[in-house]
C-alpha cells in the first residue's frame, strides 16, 4: 500500500473549517484513501473514504485531487470535540475472496481546535 | 448495541506472567483485529482474523498468540509478558461485503486495554 505524508500538527479556530492535507504521491489506481481520527485515549473512529470522486457524509468531506496524489479532509465547522489525531491511510483493494487488507496507521496530524 | 467491548480495561503484570485480553463484538462482523499503540505512535497490527477458526500474523506478532473460537470473540494472549509489551491494546472488527470487505474499510474499534508490565 502507498505511503502517506501528513503535517504533524495543525490548529483551527472553533467554528471555522478545518482542512487537513494528505500527500500520497505513489498511490495506485486501485487504492482507496481512508480517514480515521483518534480522540485522546479512545479507539480510532472511521470518518470517510474515497477512490477518486469527492465524498461527503455527516462528519466530513473528502476532496481528492484529479491526479489522486493528494487529498484534503474538511471538517466544515470545527468544534472543540474535533480535537484529535487524524490519520490518512491508503489501502488497496483486497485479493482473493476471504483476504483481509490491513489498515496501516502512521503518526497522523494532531488537530487542535482553539476556542 | 455495545459494538466492540474489550476486557479488562487496565491490567498490571509482572515480567513473565501470562494473561489474556478478550475482545467481543455484537455486530456479526467477519473480521477482527488486534492493534497495539505505544506513546506518541500510530497503531500497529499484531494479529487479525478473517473468520471463525482462522488467524493470521500482522506487523508485530512476536510474543503474542490469538484465538478465534467463536465469531464474536477474539482473544489476545501473552504467554510470558515483557516490559516491551507495555502498551495500549485496541481491538477492532469490520464487516465483509461482497468478495472482500474492502468496499467499506470501516473498522469499529474498542476503547482499548491499557497494559503495564513491570
Amino acid at each position: 500500500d502507498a505511503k502517506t505524508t501528513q503535517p504533524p500538527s495543525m490548529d483551527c479556530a472553533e467554528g471555522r473549517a478545518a482542512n487537513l492535507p494528505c500527500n500520497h504521491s505513489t498511490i495506485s489506481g486501485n487504492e482507496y484513501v481512508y480517514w480515521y481520527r483518534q480522540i485522546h485515549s479512545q479507539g480510532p473512529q472511521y470518518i470517510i473514504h474515497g477512490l477518486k470522486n469527492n465524498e461527503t457524509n455527516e462528519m466530513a468531506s473528502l476532496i481528492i485531487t484529479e491526479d489522486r496524489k493528494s487529498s484534503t479532509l474538511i471538517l466544515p465547522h470545527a468544534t472543540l470535540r474535533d480535537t484529535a489525531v487524524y490519520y490518512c491511510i491508503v489501502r488497496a483493494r483486497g485479493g482473493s475472496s476471504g483476504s483481509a487488507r490491513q489498515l496501516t496507521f502512521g503518526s497522523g496530524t494532531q488537530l487542535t481546535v482553539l476556542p | 448495541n455495545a459494538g466492540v467491548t474489550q476486557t479488562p480495561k487496565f491490567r498490571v503484570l509482572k515480567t513473565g506472567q501470562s494473561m489474556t485480553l478478550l475482545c467481543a463484538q455484537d455486530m456479526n462482523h467477519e473480521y477482527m483485529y488486534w492493534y497495539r499503540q505505544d506513546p506518541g505512535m500510530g497503531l500497529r497490527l499484531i494479529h487479525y482474523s478473517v473468520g471463525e477458526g482462522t488467524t493470521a500474523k500482522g506487523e508485530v506478532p512476536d510474543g503474542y498468540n490469538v484465538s478465534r473460537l467463536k465469531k464474536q470473540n477474539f482473544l489476545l494472549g501473552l504467554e510470558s509478558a515483557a516490559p516491551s509489551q507495555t502498551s495500549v491494546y485496541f481491538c477492532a472488527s469490520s464487516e465483509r461485503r461482497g468478495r472482500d470487505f474492502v468496499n467499506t474499510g470501516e473498522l469499529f474499534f474498542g476503547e482499548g486495554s491499557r497494559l503495564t508490565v513491570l
Side-chain angles (χ1 to χ4, degrees), chain A residues 9-79:
Chain A
S9 64
M10 293 181 61
D11 292 340
C12 176
E14 187 178 18
R16 303 296 292 270
N19 297 282
L20 293 95
C22 180
N23 286 323
H24 30 79
S25 58
T26 61
I27 192 170
S28 299
N30 65 349
E31 290 181 316
Y32 287 78
V33 180
Y34 290 83
W35 284 84
Y36 279 75
R37 73 179 182 183
Q38 186 175 25
I39 298 171
H40 183 62
S41 299
Q42 297 182 19
Q45 177 189 23
Y46 165 83
I47 301 173
I48 198 168
H49 78 281
L51 182 62
K52 51 185 175 182
N53 297 322
N54 297 338
E55 302 287 344
T56 296
N57 62 21
E58 65 278 5
M59 290 183 66
S61 295
L62 173 60
I63 308 298
I64 302 174
T65 58
E66 191 169 348
D67 63 7
R68 304 207 324 120
K69 293 185 177 181
S70 66
S71 61
T72 301
L73 179 74
I74 301 173
L75 308 178
H77 305 286
T79 70

Side-chain angles (χ1 to χ4, degrees), chain B:
Chain B
N1 189 340
V4 178
T5 304
Q6 295 182 225
T7 53
K9 290 184 170 50
F10 300 93
R11 184 72 187 270
V12 178
L13 289 177
K14 294 181 179 178
T15 297
Q17 286 185 318
S18 63
M19 76 157 296
T20 300
L21 296 176
L22 170 64
C23 177
Q25 53 95 3
D26 60 3
M27 297 172 283
N28 200 36
H29 284 174
E30 290 288 339
Y31 299 93
M32 297 187 74
Y33 313 81
W34 275 108
Y35 287 86
R36 63 176 285 176
Q37 185 173 36
D38 299 320
M41 297 181 65
L43 284 77
R44 292 184 292 169
L45 183 65
I46 305 171
H47 286 279
Y48 66 97
S49 169
V50 302
E52 180 179 321
T54 70
T55 63
K57 295 180 180 180
E59 180 186 357
V60 287
D62 294 342
Y64 304 94
N65 57 75
V66 288
S67 64
R68 183 99 181 268
L69 299 179
K70 294 183 178 180
K71 185 177 183 180
Q72 64 267 33
N73 296 337
F74 195 29
L75 279 64
L76 178 70
L78 286 74
E79 291 188 347
S80 179
S84 60
Q85 294 177 303
T86 293
S87 189
V88 180
Y89 292 84
F90 289 99
C91 177
S93 70
S94 64
E95 182 181 14
R96 174 177 176 167
R97 291 183 187 174
R99 292 192 303 124
D100 195 299
F101 87 110
V102 71
N103 288 331
T104 67
E106 180 179 353
L107 271 62
F108 291 81
F109 283 84
E111 289 301 308
S113 297
R114 187 175 299 275
L115 174 65
T116 301
V117 182
L118 302 175

